[in-house]
Amino acid sequence: MQPPGPLQPPPPPPPLYAPNNGDFTFVSSADAEELSGSIASPDVKLNLGGESGEFIKESTATTFLRQRGYGWLLEVEDDDPEDNKPLLEELDIDLKDIYYKIRCVLMPMPSLGFNRQVVRDNPDFWGPLAVVLFFSMISLYGQFKVVSWIITIWIFGSLTIFLLARVLGGEVAYGQVLGVIGYSLLPLIVIAPLLLVVGSFEVVSTLIKLFGVFWAAYSAASLLVGEEFKTKKPLLIYPIFLLYIYFLSLYTGV
């Protein structure tokens, strides 16, 4: 018979703190000082989907908005290339085209080689408007009513020429007539400084006026009166001539 072995120690008592059972642990003030500190908020990183694969840290406010369903406030719209157009392009103003049309009107001789039909076939609004306004400004002489009169005559005079051209069988649009009549005021603007110099010489002044009116009327009529009018050309040239005589009378105050 073998002697009995050593006695086994009794099992330890169950722990007083069982986290699975929802128990609480009380610590002393000294232990609390050792455990004191701040709880750092978790860093949430947002992938922007760029090629570089970089991440940026998302702030607490951004996270709060996204959790509450207000993430759409943080969305940034892509820039539309059409919204970044220059002002002149946005207003459909082509300065080179306007300059070329001015040269076509001031030099109406076919021998110079300008494609003068572009004034009629490619009408614009800002160029003729600038010419009419400039003519109105040099026609002021303290009479501000002249400006409104010149613009009115330009609009309704062009309408009259347009209706007459359509009645005579011409294929022309109102915008084309408006542009041609407006650009053709340039000869009257050119002779304006000459009239200031020779104003005291009545004969020379009259000749310059007639030259300016014929110049403007020829420039407009050569663009508006095409071959489709045949023998009816004088019926359209004469009203154009009278229209520029009236423009000149508004400038001279006659």
Side-chain angles (χ1 to χ4, degrees):
M1 181 174 178
Q2 296 181 356
L7 298 176
Q8 297 293 330
L16 298 177
Y17 170 65
N20 296 331
N21 298 330
D23 294 339
F24 298 93
T25 301
F26 298 93
V27 297
S28 62
S29 59
D31 295 334
E33 292 180 357
E34 296 179 358
L35 298 175
S36 63
S38 59
I39 300 176
S41 60
D43 293 339
V44 181
K45 296 183 178 180
L46 177 64
N47 185 5
L48 294 180
E51 295 180 357
S52 61
E54 295 181 354
F55 290 84
I56 63 172
K57 184 183 294 184
E58 193 175 66
S59 64
T60 305
T62 303
T63 306
F64 175 79
L65 290 175
R66 293 189 184 280
Q67 291 176 351
R68 294 298 185 273
Y70 295 102
W72 57 271
L73 294 173
L74 306 173
E75 295 179 358
V76 179
E77 296 182 358
D78 297 334
D79 293 336
D80 190 355
E82 296 183 357
D83 296 338
N84 298 326
K85 290 183 179 180
L87 180 60
L88 293 180
E89 186 178 350
E90 191 72 26
L91 296 176
D92 197 17
I93 299 176
D94 190 348
L95 296 180
K96 293 182 179 180
D97 182 62
I98 293 175
Y99 174 67
Y100 185 80
K101 291 177 180 178
I102 289 174
R103 295 173 61 189
C104 292
V105 170
L106 291 178
M107 293 176 282
M109 289 73 71
S111 59
L112 296 177
F114 289 106
N115 183 19
R116 300 186 66 247
Q117 290 300 319
V118 72
V119 182
R120 171 179 172 174
D121 297 338
N122 187 23
D124 66 288
F125 175 74
W126 297 107
L129 179 63
V131 174
V132 172
L133 289 178
F134 186 71
F135 180 74
S136 302
M137 296 303 295
I138 66 174
S139 304
L140 280 177
Y141 289 122
Q143 306 176 25
F144 291 98
K145 294 181 179 180
V146 174
V147 178
S148 60
W149 265 110
I150 291 176
I151 295 176
T152 303
I153 295 302
W154 171 49
I155 294 174
F156 288 98
S158 299
L159 179 61
T160 303
I161 300 298
F162 163 70
L163 294 176
L164 184 59
R166 298 292 291 186
V167 169
L168 295 176
E171 296 294 333
V172 64
Y174 176 64
Q176 294 175 329
V177 178
L178 196 68
V180 171
I181 296 298
Y183 273 118
S184 297
L185 276 174
L186 286 168
L188 300 184
I189 296 176
V190 173
I191 68 170
L194 299 177
L195 293 177
L196 294 177
V197 175
V198 300
S200 57
F201 302 96
E202 185 175 352
V203 177
V204 178
S205 177
T206 302
L207 291 176
I208 293 177
K209 291 177 182 178
L210 289 176
F211 172 74
V213 171
F214 275 107
W215 186 5
Y218 173 78
S219 182
S222 61
L223 290 170
L224 293 177
V225 182
E227 295 298 330
E228 65 269 20
F229 291 99
K230 297 181 180 179
T231 58
K232 302 177 183 178
K233 290 183 178 180
L235 297 177
L236 192 61
I237 295 176
Y238 181 67
I240 294 175
F241 181 74
L242 292 180
L243 180 62
Y244 285 104
I245 289 179
Y246 191 74
F247 276 124
L248 183 63
S249 67
L250 291 176
Y251 168 72
T252 57
V254 177

